C-alpha cells in the first residue's frame, strides 16, 4: 500500500503527476532522440546552446544540400506541451521538424525553453524572447554566433511558428517585437499557429458541449499559471476584456491559423481569427480547419494524409515571402 508521501496529489493527465511529497513525474514528452542527419528527409540537425548561464538551447535544422548563394527563410519554432512537458528532442517533434524543413526548404530553429513548474511562467516566454534576440545578434559581427544562421538565413524572411503552447508563445512574441528594436534586425514575415493554446473561463464553441474536457483544460492552466486571474489571465486569454485592439500591433504581415475539427481548442482558434480580421491589423489572415482530427494530430501521426497536407500548407506559407503581398482574409476546410 502506498504511503501518503507517494500518493498522487494532482493528476494532470496526460502530462504529469504531482505527488503529496512534492515530487513530480512527467509522463509525456520525456523521450529524446539525438540530432544528426535524417536519412528519410536528408535534413541535418544539431543542438546549440544559446544562454550557457540558464541552459536555454535550441535544435537547429537545415537541408543537407544547401548553397550559400541563396538565403533561406528562417522558421523559429516553439514546441507545445502545455508549457510543462516536451522538448525539441522529443521524437515526434524532431520528426515533424525534419519533415517541415525538407518540404519547405528552410532553416528551422526549435527553441528549448524551460518548463513549468521548475521554472514558472513567464520563463517560457522570456527564454523564447532571448532566443529571438540571439538570432537577431547575428546581424552584428561579434558575439556568440552560429554558422548555419550566419551563412544560410535571410534575415528579411523570418517566421514564428508553434503548436499548442508554442502558438501562444508566438503570438505574445509578435506583440512584444512591435515595442522593441528587434524588428530593425529581423523582418518577421508571418506567424504559423497550429492548434494554438488559448483559453478562457467562459466556454465557447465545442467547450459548451464537452464539460469534461473543458474542466481538464481548466485544470492544466490553473496548475501552469496559478494566479488570481485563473483561465482569464491575459497570457492564455488575449480577449479577456472582449477587445482585439492589441492584435493590430502584431509585428508581421501574414498569419496562418490551423485548427482541427475535434480539438477542444478549436473555438479559440476561430475566435482569434475573427478578432484578428476585425482588429485593424493590416496583414493577411488565413485559417485552415482539418476535418476528422484532434489536437496536434500531425505530431503523433506524422505520416497520415492530413498531416502531410498540413505540412505542405505550412511549407507554402513559409515560401510566400517573395510573392506580391495582397491584403485579404481567407479560410479553408481540409479533410
Amino acid at each position: 500500500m502506498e504511503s501518503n508521501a507517494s500518493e498522487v496529489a494532482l493528476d494532470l493527465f496526460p502530462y504529469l503527476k504531482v505527488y503529496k511529497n512534492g515530487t513530480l513525474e512527467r509522463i509525456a514528452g520525456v523521450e529524446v532522440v539525438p540530432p544528426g542527419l535524417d536519412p528519410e528527409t536528408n535534413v541535418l540537425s544539431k543542438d546549440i546552446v544559446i544562454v550557457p548561464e540558464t541552459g536555454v538551447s535550441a535544435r537547429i535544422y537545415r537541408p543537407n544540400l544547401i548553397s550559400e548563394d541563396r538565403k533561406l527563410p528562417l522558421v523559429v519554432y516553439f514546441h507545445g506541451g502545455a508549457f510543462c512537458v516536451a522538448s525539441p528532442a522529443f521524437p515526434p517533434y524532431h520528426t515533424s521538424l525534419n519533415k517541415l524543413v525538407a518540404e519547405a526548404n528552410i532553416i528551422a530553429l526549435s527553441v528549448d525553453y524551460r518548463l513549468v513548474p521548475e521554472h514558472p511562467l513567464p520563463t517560457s516566454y522570456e527564454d523564447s524572447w532571448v532566443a529571438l534576440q540571439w538570432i537577431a545578434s547575428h546581424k552584428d559581427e561579434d558575439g556568440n554566433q552560429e554558422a548555419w544562421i550566419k551563412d544560410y538565413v535571410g534575415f528579411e524572411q523570418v517566421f514564428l511558428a508553434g503548436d499548442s503552447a508554442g502558438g501562444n508563445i508566438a503570438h505574445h512574441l509578435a506583440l512584444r517585437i512591435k515595442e522593441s528594436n528587434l524588428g530593425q534586425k529581423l523582418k518577421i514575415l508571418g506567424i504559423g499557429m497550429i492548434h494554438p493554446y488559448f483559453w478562457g473561463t467562459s466556454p465557447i464553441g465545442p467547450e459548451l458541449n464537452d464539460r469534461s474536457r473543458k474542466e481538464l483544460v481548466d485544470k492544466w492552466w490553473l496548475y501552469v499559471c496559478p494566479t488570481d486571474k485563473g483561465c482569464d489571465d491575459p497570457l492564455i486569454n488575449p480577449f479577456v476584456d472582449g477587445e482585439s485592439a492589441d492584435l493590430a500591433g502584431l509585428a508581421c504581415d501574414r498569419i496562418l491559423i490551423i485548427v482541427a475539427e475535434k480539438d477542444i481548442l478549436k473555438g479559440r482558434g476561430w475566435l482569434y481569427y475573427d478578432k484578428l480580421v476585425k482588429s485593424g491589423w493590416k496583414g493577411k489572415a488565413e485559417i485552415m480547419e482539418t476535418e476528422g482530427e484532434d489536437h496536434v494530430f500531425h505530431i503523433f501521426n506524422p505520416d497520415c494524409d492530413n498531416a502531410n497536407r498540413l505540412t505542405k500548407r505550412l511549407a507554402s506559407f513559409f515560401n510566400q515571402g517573395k510573392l506580391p503581398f495582397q491584403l485579404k482574409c481567407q479560410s479553408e476546410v481540409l479533410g
Side-chain angles (χ1 to χ4, degrees):
M1 184 174 179
E2 283 187 321
S3 67
N4 289 337
S6 61
E7 288 179 358
V8 175
L10 183 63
D11 187 351
L12 291 173
F13 179 85
Y15 297 118
L16 53 82
K17 292 181 180 179
V18 182
Y19 293 91
K20 288 186 176 180
N21 64 3
T23 60
L24 179 75
E25 178 190 6
R26 284 191 169 86
I27 302 167
V30 295
E31 301 90 347
V32 298
V33 65
L37 177 63
D38 178 53
E40 180 180 342
T41 59
N42 201 30
V43 169
L44 279 173
S45 61
K46 63 181 178 179
D47 291 335
I48 54 178
V49 176
I50 295 175
V51 185
E53 294 80 6
T54 62
V56 175
S57 61
R59 181 163 291 188
I60 188 169
Y61 298 79
R62 71 170 178 85
N64 190 23
L65 302 177
I66 192 169
S67 171
E68 291 188 27
D69 297 333
R70 180 190 175 192
K71 302 297 184 181
L72 299 180
L74 171 67
V75 173
V76 186
Y77 194 89
F78 310 100
H79 68 80
F83 298 96
C84 59
V85 299
S87 73
F90 183 45
Y93 278 116
H94 184 65
T95 297
S96 178
L97 267 293
N98 277 323
K99 288 180 176 291
L100 181 60
V101 169
E103 181 67 37
N105 193 39
I106 56 173
I107 307 296
L109 185 137
S110 184
V111 179
D112 193 8
Y113 54 84
R114 289 172 291 173
L115 302 175
V116 169
E118 295 90 341
H119 304 282
L121 294 181
T123 302
S124 300
Y125 299 97
E126 293 302 323
D127 288 351
S128 300
W129 179 252
V130 167
L132 277 187
Q133 291 180 309
W134 176 77
I135 292 167
S137 73
H138 287 70
K139 293 277 286 187
D140 304 322
E141 293 300 324
D142 54 0
N144 174 24
Q145 303 220 326
E146 166 54 48
W148 289 8
I149 295 177
K150 193 74 171 178
D151 295 341
Y152 303 128
V153 164
F155 293 99
E156 301 299 312
Q157 307 175 69
V158 179
F159 294 83
L160 308 181
D163 66 282
S164 196
N168 177 303
I169 290 172
H171 157 80
H172 284 287
L173 295 191
L175 287 177
R176 186 169 178 176
I177 288 169
K178 201 73 172 181
E179 305 300 323
S180 76
N181 60 4
L182 191 143
Q184 298 173 13
K185 294 183 177 181
L186 299 180
K187 171 61 176 175
I188 308 296
L189 289 183
I191 307 173
M193 296 183 186
I194 311 158
H195 311 161
Y197 182 23
F198 297 117
W199 203 239
T201 301
S202 299
I204 64 170
E207 304 160 29
L208 292 166
N209 300 315
D210 196 340
R211 179 178 294 273
S212 61
R213 281 214 290 175
K214 171 71 167 70
E215 291 175 351
L216 187 62
V217 181
D218 285 348
K219 186 165 69 169
W220 294 342
W221 179 253
L222 295 175
Y223 173 75
V224 166
C225 188
T227 69
D228 57 0
K229 298 176 182 177
C231 293
D232 282 334
D233 190 289
L235 289 176
I236 196 68
N237 186 355
F239 312 120
V240 63
D241 297 321
E243 300 295 333
S244 57
D246 284 351
L247 295 181
L250 288 165
C252 61
D253 295 333
R254 299 194 307 276
I255 293 180
L256 170 64
I257 304 160
I258 300 177
V259 298
E261 179 188 13
K262 296 181 178 180
D263 186 2
I264 189 69
L265 300 182
K266 180 181 79 169
R268 302 290 167 173
W270 275 101
L271 176 64
Y272 189 98
Y273 172 78
D274 291 340
K275 294 283 190 181
L276 181 62
V277 299
K278 297 172 183 176
S279 68
W281 177 68
K282 302 301 183 182
K284 174 184 175 183
E286 305 169 67
I287 188 166
M288 178 184 105
E289 180 172 328
T290 308
E291 292 182 339
E293 302 290 357
D294 210 328
H295 193 62
V296 297
F297 73 92
H298 64 296
I299 298 294
F300 295 101
N301 192 11
D303 296 319
C304 72
D305 289 342
N306 280 336
N308 289 330
R309 293 190 186 105
L310 188 154
T311 300
K312 289 181 182 295
R313 183 66 187 84
L314 283 170
S316 174
F317 180 72
F318 297 143
N319 280 284
Q320 293 175 12
K322 296 183 180 179
L323 298 179
F325 176 68
Q326 296 178 334
L327 293 179
K328 69 173 183 176
C329 301
Q330 63 185 40
S331 65
E332 56 187 302
V333 176
L334 295 184

